[in-house]
Amino acid sequence: MSQILGPVVEQTIVPDGFILEQNSKTLMVTINRPNQANSFTLGMYLQFIEILKKAAEDDNVDVVLVKGNGKMFSSGNDMKNFSLFTLTTEEQRIQFATELVELIRELNNAILHFPKSLIGCCHNGVFGFLFPMLALFDQVYVTEDCYFVAPMIQLGQGHEMFSSYTFPRLFGHSKAFSLLVNGERLIAKDAIQYGFAQRIFKTKEEMYSNAQKLCEQLEQVDRNSVLNGKLLMREALMSELSKAGERELKVNFKIWSQENLLQNVMKQMMRMKSKL
Amino acid sequence: MSQIVGPVVEQTIVPDGFILEQNSKTLMVTINRPNQANSFTLGMYLQFVDILKKAAEDDNVDVVLVKGNGKMFSSGNDMKNFSLFTLTTEEQRVQFATELVELIRGLNNAILHFPKTLIGCCHNGVFGFLFPMLALFDQVLVTEDCYFVAPMIQLGQGHEMFSSYTFPRIFGHSKAFSLMVNGERLSSKDAIQYGFAQRMFKTKEEMYTNAYKLCEQLEQMDRNSVINGKLLMREALMSELNKAGERELKVNFKIWSQENLLENVMKQMMRMRSRL
């Protein structure tokens, strides 16, 4: 299951969650829910926040590498998350929306403020919130077959994970509109062209092997230099990113507290399927 | 004259202006002054602002598509506009410049704050203020023969329609300098490369057909999701765009209130022609 090269010091498997492996000063986080296309349960959101927070504080961790087990990197939010909640009364809906906003705000902040190098290794499919989340990573490696889709707005949802700010910057407004509003796919080749991803590989093995080398190189650089290297670049945009994040959560709160949330999502999903 | 596919609900022809056609929830705006290469009279500036304002408020409109009738998309400002004014005294010149700034500010704001999806279909030539205006559109489709020219600074004028902000972002400073200060043409192929335009077609007919398909897709989406999708991306840049717009108008006011405005423009036009 694990595809790392080199000695594994420690392996922790969390059911429906993540495999954590420490290799020298690199923490490898493998999204592990292969039978459900690595979709995120609510528990996995919380686990991922925990993993990032712990890694930020852990002196034994200089670099965090994220990859996906199985067929694809991740298919995003598990739609079944929505059906966990009774949303009959307005009070219940507001409660749900408030809690969901709190959760996503925590995830946003965990990524936004993560001080150490964050590397993503993506293969096959990257769906939903993972797509904009990778824009906050420090390096993204992809396989040739990799593609990215952000269906949120197509599904009647809103921008997520600072996409309203990062995507126009990376892609220009119109391409960002194509990707986020029109739900257009971003293929690996174009991800490289736009600088969303930095390196492309024929196979997963090549990708992981090269990512491993990158981690080793980073571990050898002066720790504070690397931290400040990332921090200062992030600082320059922190205020705008924070504001964008709050605007997005405001819109999402309205969406998540609306009546018939699940029915509307299902309706849009069927419309999208009929387009294929 | 009309090249739409599908039922036309309503058609309004305005002499020396625009053809408006409503197709489902899409308003098609055709720049219609083919004998003068679709150049804009002063009246057309006002009409266009009005069209956008009305479409913004009209619940029957989700998408606005702009195209050009005849040989080219538009050759920009009609130079004869300048000769409409007696500009002998300083008082007259200041009055003229003030009114022109007010007019352009109105157009700037109409575009900047337009909440719905704005699509441009460009063929052959796009000159003058139309070039930077398209940078504020949500999708730009082009034919292979399409090219863009911003001769304003070559003609002794200044940046227009937020080009001082959008062009460096889209093209990088040096390419923006080539385009805006050196009056270099942007080919359709390069427009695609830089993300200024999203799709390129061999013929106008192909372009319009694909544009209508896009409009249909957008109409089927959740209305608020699309509006917020655009709004949040624009919000992130609103403050900077506004500041840039005002800086541009300040410079243009000085230019438009100068003595011998028309003579200077003519002199520059002859210089440019002699370069060919």
Side-chain angles (χ1 to χ4, degrees), chain B residues 22 27 30 62 80 82 88 99 108 147 170 174 235 255 260 267 270-271:
Chain B
Q22 180 100 16
L27 176 68
T30 306
D62 283 350
K80 293 199 211 73
F82 287 113
T88 341
E99 283 178 17
N108 281 3
Y147 63 93
I170 296 170
S174 333
E235 267 302 313
I255 294 168
N260 304 320
K267 191 170 76 179
M270 286 175 63
R271 181 188 58 76

Side-chain angles (χ1 to χ4, degrees), chain A residues 147-206:
Chain A
Y147 62 94
F148 304 81
V149 191
M152 291 84 86
I153 289 172
Q154 287 270 312
L155 291 172
Q157 310 292 297
H159 285 280
E160 291 180 13
M161 301 239 63
F162 315 102
S163 60
S164 62
Y165 183 79
T166 58
F167 274 41
R169 273 183 72 97
L170 272 162
F171 301 101
H173 172 85
S174 330
K175 181 71 179 179
F177 188 93
S178 300
L179 293 169
L180 293 170
V181 181
N182 218 30
E184 193 184 90
R185 280 191 180 194
L186 181 75
I187 59 172
K189 183 169 141 300
D190 290 348
I192 296 281
Q193 178 198 318
Y194 284 99
F196 184 83
Q198 284 65 59
R199 295 191 64 188
I200 186 170
F201 302 93
K202 280 192 147 56
T203 67
K204 278 194 291 183
E205 292 68 36
E206 268 187 73

Side-chain angles (χ1 to χ4, degrees), chain B residues 48-215:
Chain B
F48 193 65
V49 171
D50 208 57
I51 288 167
L52 287 176
K53 283 185 170 174
K54 285 210 172 103
E57 309 272 305
D58 187 349
D59 281 342
N60 289 322
V61 174
D62 283 350
V63 187
V64 171
L65 190 155
V66 183
K67 57 190 181 71
N69 191 18
K71 264 190 71 177
M72 62 170 66
F73 183 78
S74 172
S75 59
N77 180 50
D78 187 340
M79 285 301 165
K80 293 199 211 73
N81 287 333
F82 287 113
S83 56
L84 292 171
F85 298 87
T86 318
L87 301 170
T88 341
T89 71
E90 185 174 336
E91 195 184 324
Q92 285 170 329
R93 287 194 295 271
V94 169
Q95 171 81 358
F96 165 75
T98 307
E99 283 178 17
L100 195 50
V101 162
E102 256 324 291
L103 175 70
I104 300 305
R105 184 180 282 121
L107 180 59
N108 281 3
N109 287 335
I111 292 277
L112 184 64
H113 297 287
F114 188 70
K116 303 178 183 179
T117 307
L118 195 50
I119 299 169
C121 290
C122 307
H123 72 288
N124 202 344
V126 182
F127 286 79
F129 76 93
L130 280 313
F131 183 8
M133 189 174 79
L134 287 159
L136 273 286
F137 277 44
D138 300 302
Q139 292 278 279
V140 177
L141 280 64
V142 295
T143 52
E144 281 177 359
D145 70 3
C146 189
Y147 63 93
F148 303 81
V149 190
M152 290 84 88
I153 289 174
Q154 287 271 308
L155 292 172
Q157 310 293 295
H159 283 281
E160 290 181 13
M161 299 239 67
F162 314 102
S163 60
S164 61
Y165 185 78
T166 58
F167 274 41
R169 276 179 71 97
I170 296 170
F171 301 103
H173 173 85
S174 333
K175 181 71 179 178
F177 187 95
S178 300
L179 293 169
M180 294 299 307
V181 181
N182 218 30
E184 192 181 271
R185 277 189 183 195
L186 182 75
S187 67
S188 59
K189 182 166 145 297
D190 289 348
I192 295 282
Q193 178 199 318
Y194 284 99
F196 184 83
Q198 282 63 60
R199 296 190 65 190
M200 186 165 73
F201 303 91
K202 282 193 147 54
T203 66
K204 277 194 292 183
E205 291 69 37
E206 266 186 77
M207 174 171 69
Y208 297 145
T209 304
N210 278 272
Y212 303 144
K213 276 205 203 100
L214 173 62
C215 295

